[in-house]
Amino acid sequence: MFEPRATSTYGPSPVGLAGITAPPDFTTAPEPHSASLRHALAGRYSLPPEAFVVGADTAILLHHLVARAAASGGGETVYSEPSCHLYRSLTVDYGLIGRAVPLRDYRHDLSGLVGAVSERTRIVLVDSPHNITGTTTPLSDLVALAQVVPDRAVVVLDNVNGEFQDDDEFDRWFRDLVERRVPIIVCRSLSKTRRLFGLRAGYMIGAPAVLGALGPILLHYDIGTLTQVAAQASLADHATFEANRHVVVEGRHRLAAVLDEAGIPFAPSESTSILLHAGPAASQLAYRLSSAGCGLRSPSTGGVPAGHIQLFIDSADTPARVARVLTEWQEPQ
């Protein structure tokens, strides 16, 4: 089974690509701390530049956050299971203790996460939309979770697919998060809606006091010049952003309708994929879907629950391809 490739029918920001067609002077160092890109993000969210840390996508930023937690004297991480595979692997790699809380009805179990927090907790990792199920966590739950973490601990909202959600509730909430100094750090990516996977750029949003308390997260020149230039230019490309977002959001709604009509249960997703429950026939159906060119993950690839398939909306015709497969699959033999 294969996962969606970065090259699909909706594409990268042409404005971002145009920004790097005239190569800059490579004899000089990149701009320290991606200052211009941080100012562009500040304009995007109406927040101070100090509320942003830019890195080589969210995976690298998560690496640095967990490393900082380990450097402070060890401790514990809290996360749901299943979730993004990085949470467990980073916890183990940096010698921390992980407290994994099972999902409940495809969603984060808030009471379970709260119960797993202790004085040794350094980071609580919450992916919303969820990396596998696509479900989202209410803002009130995140704030409640942040209220129980010990001093100098943080809740990390892994929101890399947040710009594909049905509304911009999180965007409106970021200013309040920063102004109130809530111990929540939001991770977002420029690789998703702007399709700049090959350049690798992501960022964190948080109150400057919260980010500062973690100590230095990145070095001066961690982001190359080409990435900084393309990422900054892409932020001004609203047309491509909206077009790519439309492909996923509209495709997700159409795919949900296809699954409904076929009588196949699925988790309510606001991400770039839908998790469907096919039961014992999951392996057979996954084979047919992958043979038809559908991007997916199955239990054999790790993380996906038994009897389920995670289907990705990686092009505008994904719902039609799935519909054809389901029609043939459900026909009487």
Side-chain angles (χ1 to χ4, degrees):
M1 308 310 166
F2 64 94
E3 298 181 26
R5 302 189 316 165
T7 54
S8 57
T9 57
Y10 60 114
S13 163
V15 177
L17 296 181
I20 60 175
T21 53
D25 182 4
F26 290 119
T27 65
T28 61
E31 188 172 16
H33 297 300
S34 305
S36 295
L37 177 53
R38 287 169 56 232
H39 276 82
L41 287 166
R44 155 79 169 81
Y45 291 100
S46 299
L47 290 170
E50 295 76 19
F52 298 89
V53 174
V54 176
D57 220 319
T58 52
I60 297 298
L61 293 170
L62 287 172
H63 269 272
H64 285 288
L65 282 175
V66 177
R68 293 297 306 178
S72 67
E76 300 175 354
T77 62
V78 176
Y79 50 86
S80 296
E81 184 69 32
S83 261
C84 175
H85 68 92
L86 275 176
Y87 304 162
R88 177 183 291 275
S89 63
L90 289 177
T91 296
V92 172
D93 290 346
Y94 286 104
L96 299 172
I97 296 174
R99 303 296 184 189
V101 178
L103 295 178
R104 179 186 294 177
D105 297 328
Y106 299 113
R107 298 180 182 275
H108 293 292
D109 178 1
L110 176 64
S111 61
L113 292 172
V114 168
V117 172
S118 72
E119 286 302 314
R120 288 177 53 81
T121 300
R122 298 292 180 266
I123 297 179
V124 182
L125 296 152
V126 181
D127 46 350
S128 178
H130 189 271
N131 182 261
I132 297 170
T133 69
T135 58
T136 56
T137 301
L139 296 177
S140 57
D141 284 3
L142 294 169
V143 173
L145 189 56
Q147 291 173 344
V148 302
V149 298
D151 292 342
R152 301 183 70 82
V154 294
V155 174
V156 175
L157 169 59
D158 190 352
N159 192 229
V160 293
N161 286 314
E163 290 176 308
F164 293 111
Q165 292 180 226
D166 287 328
D167 59 45
D168 60 354
E169 182 184 22
F170 277 101
D171 282 27
R172 297 193 300 269
W173 173 68
F174 289 152
R175 182 179 298 179
D176 187 53
L177 167 74
V178 170
E179 291 177 349
R180 292 172 51 198
R181 299 186 179 184
V182 180
I184 296 176
I185 294 175
V186 182
C187 289
R188 278 196 159 180
S189 174
L190 291 167
S191 298
K192 306 295 184 179
T193 50
R194 291 164 180 84
R195 306 297 288 172
L196 298 176
F197 286 91
L199 291 173
R200 311 304 292 168
Y203 55 97
M204 298 189 301
I205 307 172
V210 174
L211 293 172
L214 297 172
I217 298 173
L218 297 173
L219 301 177
H220 275 51
Y221 306 121
D222 274 9
I223 307 301
T225 299
L226 288 180
T227 296
Q228 290 189 42
V229 170
Q232 182 178 344
S234 73
L235 287 172
D237 186 2
H238 304 297
T240 300
F241 170 85
E242 291 297 340
N244 287 342
R245 185 180 183 279
H246 177 78
V247 168
V248 172
V249 174
E250 176 65 18
R252 186 173 67 224
H253 293 162
R254 289 167 51 214
L255 179 56
V258 167
L259 296 173
D260 266 334
E261 184 175 351
I264 297 177
F266 57 92
S269 173
E270 291 194 41
S271 188
T272 58
S273 63
I274 289 182
L275 182 71
L276 64 89
H277 185 211
S283 295
Q284 179 189 15
L285 178 57
Y287 175 79
R288 294 198 180 197
L289 288 166
S290 63
S291 297
C294 298
L296 58 85
R297 290 189 189 128
S298 66
S300 63
T301 59
V304 176
H308 291 72
I309 300 169
Q310 184 182 6
L311 265 177
F312 291 90
I313 301 98
D314 54 5
S315 69
D317 66 344
T318 294
R321 279 184 281 151
V322 173
R324 287 193 294 270
V325 170
L326 292 179
T327 298
E328 296 172 359
W329 183 61
Q330 293 182 325
E331 285 179 349
Q333 299 299 315

